[in-house]
Amino acid sequence: WGQGVARVLRRLPVWKLLARYFPLQLRKTTELDPSRPYIVCCHPHGIIGFGTWLNFGMHATVKGDVFPGVNLHCLGASAWFYIPLLREFALAHAMGSVEKETVVTILGRGDSVAINLGGAREALDASAGRYVLHLGRRKGFVRCALETGASLVPVMSFGENEVFSVHVAPAGSLVRRLQDGLTSLSGSTIPIFHGLPYAPLLPKRSPIVTVVGEPIEVPLKPDYTPEDVDTIHATYVEAVVRLFEDHKAAAGFSQLTLAIV
């Protein structure tokens, strides 16, 4: 699919109507320099990741590009691309798989990517009121940044976990073991959730406020060491926690708590 087709599809009125349903807001603390690539790192995953998908995949909260001059691709689980029609939908909208080869290829040509870092496992912990980010051991995004010189942009979508009610299975339970096993095998999972009382698969009408933080510059260093990865990862985690604490009250979610696992 050509970029021209994707540009048209990503700007269809239906996406803006969906954004207004919640409603969804985008708040940027800064603009991005279009001369370099970025990994836009989104939290939390939630069930669908509306904050990521609608803001950065469909540009539903802005009139033009969400970051002028930055060619942004929304990436998701590779399992999407084994499902007929869903694969074509994703490709038509300039989306791609979150596999390392895809990420490095896109960044290497100067484009940028938006990723839900927590992945499918984080969706299993998508309970309202407490955001559990599966970030402590996830360092692949830092390696991709070092290999390409891409900056890391922390993003927090307040209200993402509130649009669905999720049953979080206890650790070690049969249900959780089955869910974790499916995630390990396929990269996707089956959370137990519901939305509207009369239409459980549809999200509840609850506001989502997506806040974009300051980018963290990462040097181009293909011969990076484990210490390089750990240092940048620690800096990124600190930035995520600071973004959460600094903006949760203004977003209307002052009672939210955060855990990094």
Side-chain angles (χ1 to χ4, degrees):
W1 295 85
Q3 287 294 323
V5 173
R7 180 172 290 271
V8 171
L9 292 176
R10 293 164 79 174
R11 285 162 175 75
L12 291 175
V14 64
W15 308 126
K16 294 189 182 300
L17 290 174
L18 181 55
R20 291 172 189 162
Y21 166 78
F22 294 105
L24 173 65
Q25 300 178 44
L26 177 67
R27 299 179 183 176
K28 295 186 285 185
T29 62
T30 185
E31 290 294 344
L32 302 184
D33 178 1
S35 67
R36 63 179 304 153
Y38 299 90
I39 302 178
V40 178
C41 307
C42 304
H43 311 277
H45 186 286
I47 295 298
I48 303 294
F50 287 110
T52 304
W53 174 42
L54 290 175
N55 280 308
F56 309 119
M58 303 305 176
H59 304 264
T61 49
V62 294
K63 289 185 178 180
D65 292 331
V66 65
F67 300 114
V70 177
N71 193 17
L72 188 60
H73 300 264
C74 197
L75 305 185
S78 58
W80 291 3
F81 297 88
Y82 293 98
I83 303 175
L85 299 182
L86 183 56
R87 173 184 180 275
E88 299 306 319
F89 174 90
L91 292 175
H93 290 80
M95 299 179 183
S97 167
V98 77
E99 294 175 353
K100 181 180 179 181
E101 181 180 359
T102 303
V103 175
V104 171
T105 298
I106 292 174
L107 297 174
R109 66 178 186 233
D111 289 352
S112 299
V113 298
I115 303 171
N116 275 316
L117 287 188
R121 291 190 190 279
E122 194 170 285
L124 299 177
D125 291 318
S127 58
R130 181 172 184 263
Y131 289 2
V132 179
L133 305 187
H134 287 240
L135 183 59
R137 291 181 291 179
R138 291 183 182 264
K139 300 180 180 179
F141 70 104
V142 176
R143 298 185 184 96
C144 290
L146 284 163
E147 289 184 22
T148 59
S151 297
L152 302 175
V153 182
V155 174
M156 186 68 64
S157 287
F158 298 97
E160 183 70 57
N161 285 3
E162 279 67 28
V163 298
F164 286 109
S165 297
V166 179
H167 170 70
V168 178
S173 66
L174 175 60
V175 171
R176 188 58 180 247
R177 292 202 303 271
L178 290 173
Q179 290 174 322
D180 287 340
L182 179 60
T183 304
S184 299
L185 287 172
S186 67
S188 188
T189 191
I190 303 178
I192 302 172
F193 68 93
H194 70 272
L196 296 173
Y198 53 84
L201 295 181
L202 296 181
K204 291 178 282 188
R205 192 171 191 182
S206 181
I208 301 174
V209 180
T210 300
V211 181
V212 180
E214 296 276 348
I216 299 169
E217 292 194 10
V218 178
L220 176 60
K221 192 175 182 182
D223 57 343
Y224 59 83
T225 65
E227 290 74 23
D228 294 327
V229 174
D230 290 343
T231 298
I232 294 173
H233 182 266
T235 300
Y236 178 78
V237 172
E238 290 176 3
V240 168
V241 174
R242 187 166 57 251
L243 182 70
F244 178 86
E245 296 296 343
D246 288 351
H247 293 275
K248 66 178 184 179
F253 294 88
S254 59
Q255 301 304 312
L256 277 180
T257 61
L258 179 68
I260 307 291
V261 298

